[in-house]
Amino acid sequence: MLDRAAAKLRNRHELTSRVRLVEGDMTSFDLEQRFALALVPARSFQHVVTPEGQRLALNCMRRHLIPGGHLILDLFDPNFELLLGNDSKAPPREAQHPRSGHLVRRTVVARHTDPFQQTVHEILRFEEFDGAGNIVGSEKTSWSLRWNMRQETAYLLELTGFEVVDLYSDFNRSQPDYGREQLWVARARR
């Protein structure tokens, strides 16, 4: 992902002096700089699969914010029918490849959920099909995520020095709703 971002930056010379790409551990980083805004998009925070790790990550983020700086945290809202149901029968998801225009299909090959730890581990298969329906590429990958309940996230933010400003269920600022996104806006306490 950083390679793609770096390639895009090479074509945007006006941004190269303002953007620095850093690879690191979300739970223990030090950029030696403070910011007015930290954005954690695409549910990436939920790849930290322990409550201890999540506290460490939030403490790290707060240390990198100026007093009164904001954190925007994008989480999925747990849909228990999907998390705890028979997911091996879930239909594949399909999208168009942005460069080739080919159909890309994502299939959940296996899923293990642990309700006690609030984690889900998935093995995924991605297949790319040409216009004639032939497979031109296939790859397996896996990931683990920890789901967060709303009240738990509010407590985590408070515990790590944040004040919740807003909570939405999408990027259009819709009111919180079950089974949708959790978009948290929090301010670092002074």
Side-chain angles (χ1 to χ4, degrees):
M1 189 62 84
L2 286 178
D3 291 339
R4 285 185 181 182
K8 288 183 179 187
L9 275 177
R10 284 192 288 277
N11 296 327
R12 302 285 308 270
H13 301 288
E14 73 278 10
L15 296 178
T16 55
S17 65
R18 297 182 7 215
V19 176
R20 176 174 55 143
L21 300 175
V22 179
E23 182 176 359
D25 183 340
M26 189 184 309
T27 65
S28 61
F29 64 94
D30 185 2
L31 301 177
E32 299 177 358
Q33 190 175 355
R34 297 178 96 189
F35 305 90
L37 174 67
L39 174 63
V40 187
R43 306 164 175 174
S44 54
F45 178 75
Q46 291 177 293
H47 287 281
V48 180
V49 295
T50 65
E52 298 80 15
Q54 288 183 339
R55 284 193 306 273
L56 288 169
L58 288 169
N59 278 320
C60 241
M61 292 172 210
R62 185 187 35 75
R63 283 193 305 273
H64 283 81
L65 289 171
I66 62 172
H70 285 83
L71 169 69
I72 298 177
L73 194 59
D74 175 19
L75 310 176
F76 74 84
D77 195 31
N79 182 328
F80 293 108
E81 294 166 1
L82 295 174
L83 285 170
L84 303 175
N86 184 357
D87 47 19
S88 63
K89 304 294 184 209
R93 298 174 89 182
E94 296 180 343
Q96 186 176 15
H97 192 287
R99 280 179 270 158
S100 69
H102 292 161
L103 174 72
V104 175
R105 180 177 297 147
R106 183 191 86 167
T107 305
V108 176
V109 176
R111 177 185 283 171
H112 172 72
T113 57
D114 183 338
F116 185 71
Q117 298 295 324
Q118 294 178 214
T119 58
V120 59
H121 177 76
E122 292 183 327
I123 299 173
L124 306 166
R125 181 177 59 242
F126 291 88
E127 297 170 304
E128 183 176 351
F129 298 87
D130 66 14
N134 300 309
I135 295 177
V136 295
S138 181
E139 181 178 331
K140 268 191 182 178
T141 189
S142 66
W143 61 13
S144 295
L145 296 169
R146 181 173 189 279
W147 68 79
N148 298 70
M149 303 304 293
R150 284 194 185 99
Q151 197 60 47
E152 172 189 19
T153 302
Y155 288 143
L156 266 172
L157 289 166
E158 181 182 336
L159 180 68
T160 56
F162 287 96
E163 170 191 359
V164 174
V165 175
D166 273 309
L167 172 60
Y168 304 110
S169 65
D170 61 28
F171 291 98
N172 294 317
R173 298 182 177 172
S174 297
Q175 292 298 310
D177 193 15
Y178 173 70
R180 297 187 62 200
E181 296 293 309
Q182 291 182 35
L183 292 172
W184 293 85
V185 180
R187 181 178 18 252
R189 289 195 297 250
R190 299 179 192 274

